[in-house]
Amino acid sequence: MLKTELATLSEKNAELKKQIRELTSKLQLSEQGTDQAQKQFLLLGEQRKAGPFGTVKGLRTNPTVLPDESVNPALAKLLEKVAVRKELIVCLANGNVKDMLEVWYESIKSVGIPNYLVVALDDEIETLCKSKDVPVYRSKPDKGIDSIARSVDGHAISGLKFRILREFLQLGYSVLLSDVDIVYLQNPFEHLYRDSDVESMSDGHDNYTAYGFNDVFDDPKMGWARYAHSMRIWVYNSGFFYIRPTVPSIELLDRVVTRLMKDPKAWDQAVFNEELFFPSHPGYDGLHASKRTMDRFEFMNSKFLFRTVRKDENYSKLKPVIVHVNYHPDKFPRMKAIVEFYVNGKKDALEPFPEGSAW
């Protein structure tokens, strides 16, 4: 019996020594900071063998963060009432965009979307929303936020959303961030994939510009190697994107906010795209966030609408999910015309407007 017990203990001791070696190895790799793949393994669990050819797929849907209600208990309580399946539309607005905001929330109501919220940046918008039974949230007093909130600078207001969005993600909610110059024609939550950290509409006006293409640069002086290939894609629109509460998503917000604080004149949309797309290189660690481009026919920008769709009979029966008046400064009249065209059936409602705009 003693021999048997000794043999059993020897086996357990050998197994423990093996576990210690494995843990020590993992700790060393982690401390070295050189093996990113091993770090990911440590976070995500068991290593596995690669499957047969054509069956292997990389991870693109990152796990969500653990909700932390201590970040903002008041907002957490409000979101419990407003959100549906832990997701909602969020829009920032101040009194300068009151008219557009009214078109925005009336289009949402007409579609029957229940999970939306206006972040009021001043008393005027807070009062308006409460009087119209529109879900509204007024953030805690903050000198940095309040000074920007009163601004007439659209880019400054746009950049503010990245600071405010962070709390929504920390609370465990996915957010469909919406600018105010958007008309809703269908429920966008029925048209999302939810497989990426960021799912964004594109500023592209065709399949090439929206989804990416191989752009060839010609340098005749190079002779045989005169043709240099590059990959191009029109930017994601930072005024309409779906973002999941993941670590890469929150890191994206932090990166954008940090850069905008250092350079207040920077355009938030340019910074947003640079952080999403620029790869790691000497002196810079790129963001490892997964991304998806929204269907450009469903999530339509105003360039595609006014340049192509309204003139082509092939699109006469097309009804987008949303139309974003992002390419034109005369936003309010175009928003009303879009409602007339798609909701009220007025076929000539879009005709008075030019393709582009006068400076």
Side-chain angles (χ1 to χ4, degrees):
M1 289 176 64
L2 288 171
K3 287 182 179 179
T4 303
E5 188 175 352
L6 181 61
T8 302
L9 289 172
S10 297
E11 290 176 0
K12 288 183 178 180
N13 188 45
E15 180 64 24
L16 287 171
K17 286 182 178 180
K18 180 182 177 182
Q19 290 180 18
I20 290 172
R21 286 196 302 271
E22 290 175 349
L23 289 171
T24 301
S25 176
K26 290 177 181 179
L27 181 60
Q28 289 172 343
L29 284 170
S30 179
E31 289 175 347
Q32 288 171 1
T34 57
D35 192 339
Q36 297 299 327
Q38 190 70 19
K39 281 186 178 181
Q40 185 168 349
F41 157 65
L42 290 170
L43 289 172
L44 299 178
E46 180 184 358
Q47 280 180 307
R48 298 181 182 181
K49 295 180 180 179
F53 178 82
T55 66
V56 178
K57 289 186 180 295
L59 180 71
R60 66 173 63 86
T61 307
N62 287 308
T64 56
V65 298
L66 188 67
D68 182 5
E69 294 188 3
S70 67
V71 170
N72 190 332
L75 179 59
K77 188 175 293 186
L78 175 61
L79 294 181
E80 285 181 5
K81 299 177 182 177
V82 175
V84 175
R85 291 187 292 274
K86 301 286 284 187
E87 58 186 11
L88 73 160
I89 300 169
V90 174
C91 175
L92 277 66
N94 64 14
N96 297 312
V97 295
K98 178 182 175 183
D99 291 339
M100 287 191 289
L101 180 65
E102 290 178 329
V103 178
W104 180 87
Y105 65 65
E106 288 299 338
S107 71
I108 287 178
K109 287 182 177 182
S110 66
V111 174
I113 303 169
N115 47 331
Y116 69 102
L117 181 69
V118 174
V119 176
L121 300 177
D122 56 28
D123 295 336
E124 183 179 3
I125 294 301
E126 183 179 16
T127 301
L128 171 68
C129 290
K130 288 180 178 178
S131 68
K132 299 296 183 180
D133 198 26
V134 172
V136 63
Y137 169 69
R138 187 74 180 272
S139 61
K140 295 174 291 186
D142 182 294
K143 288 184 179 180
I145 292 177
D146 293 344
S147 62
I148 299 173
R150 294 188 294 270
S151 174
V152 295
D153 183 352
H155 284 174
I157 297 295
S158 185
L160 185 60
K161 63 197 172 198
F162 294 98
R163 292 176 62 177
I164 294 176
L165 272 183
R166 194 185 203 278
E167 289 189 343
F168 287 80
L169 268 57
Q170 284 181 277
L171 292 170
Y173 289 85
S174 296
V175 173
L176 182 56
L177 189 284
S178 172
D179 275 356
V180 73
D181 57 341
I182 292 174
V183 176
Y184 289 76
L185 302 167
Q186 299 183 58
N187 190 334
F189 293 109
E190 297 173 1
H191 299 265
L192 298 174
Y193 286 81
R194 300 175 178 83
D195 64 347
S196 304
D197 295 310
V198 176
E199 196 168 339
S200 178
M201 74 169 293
S202 171
D203 273 1
H205 56 275
D206 56 25
N207 284 350
Y208 287 103
T209 55
Y211 305 139
F213 63 101
N214 184 359
D215 187 34
V216 181
F217 176 77
D218 186 7
D219 186 0
K221 292 182 179 179
M222 288 299 296
W224 175 80
R226 65 183 292 178
Y227 299 113
H229 291 254
S230 65
M231 304 308 298
R232 293 190 64 189
I233 186 171
W234 262 224
V235 295
Y236 281 179
N237 192 288
S238 63
F240 192 86
F241 60 89
Y242 180 81
I243 185 165
R244 297 176 59 247
T246 66
V247 169
S249 294
I250 295 173
E251 183 184 356
L252 169 64
L253 299 181
D254 289 352
R255 283 170 174 246
V256 174
V257 169
T258 299
R259 286 187 55 185
L260 293 177
M261 289 176 67
K262 290 180 179 178
D263 183 7
K265 293 183 180 179
W267 184 24
D268 68 282
Q269 181 161 290
V271 174
F272 174 72
N273 279 271
E274 288 170 3
E275 293 299 336
L276 265 178
F277 285 95
F278 281 179
S280 298
H281 56 261
Y284 176 78
D285 289 330
L287 178 72
H288 293 272
S290 57
K291 48 196 172 290
R292 169 182 285 274
T293 308
M294 290 177 171
D295 187 319
R296 70 183 184 90
F297 293 96
E298 294 185 334
F299 300 92
M300 189 182 295
N301 62 58
S302 57
K303 179 177 181 177
F304 182 46
L305 173 63
F306 285 97
R307 171 177 283 188
T308 306
V309 173
R310 65 171 175 170
K311 300 177 181 180
D312 192 333
E313 281 297 319
N314 292 319
Y315 296 125
S316 60
K317 295 183 179 180
L318 173 66
K319 185 177 183 179
V321 177
I322 61 105
V323 176
H324 189 178
V325 189
N326 60 315
Y327 269 101
H328 301 88
D330 51 337
K331 299 177 181 297
F332 182 53
R334 288 187 189 248
M335 288 177 73
K336 291 193 295 182
I338 291 167
V339 172
E340 288 294 324
F341 183 78
Y342 282 111
V343 179
N344 300 329
K346 189 177 178 181
K347 297 303 179 184
D348 61 349
L350 303 179
E351 291 182 7
F353 299 93
E355 282 188 15
S357 60
W359 286 97

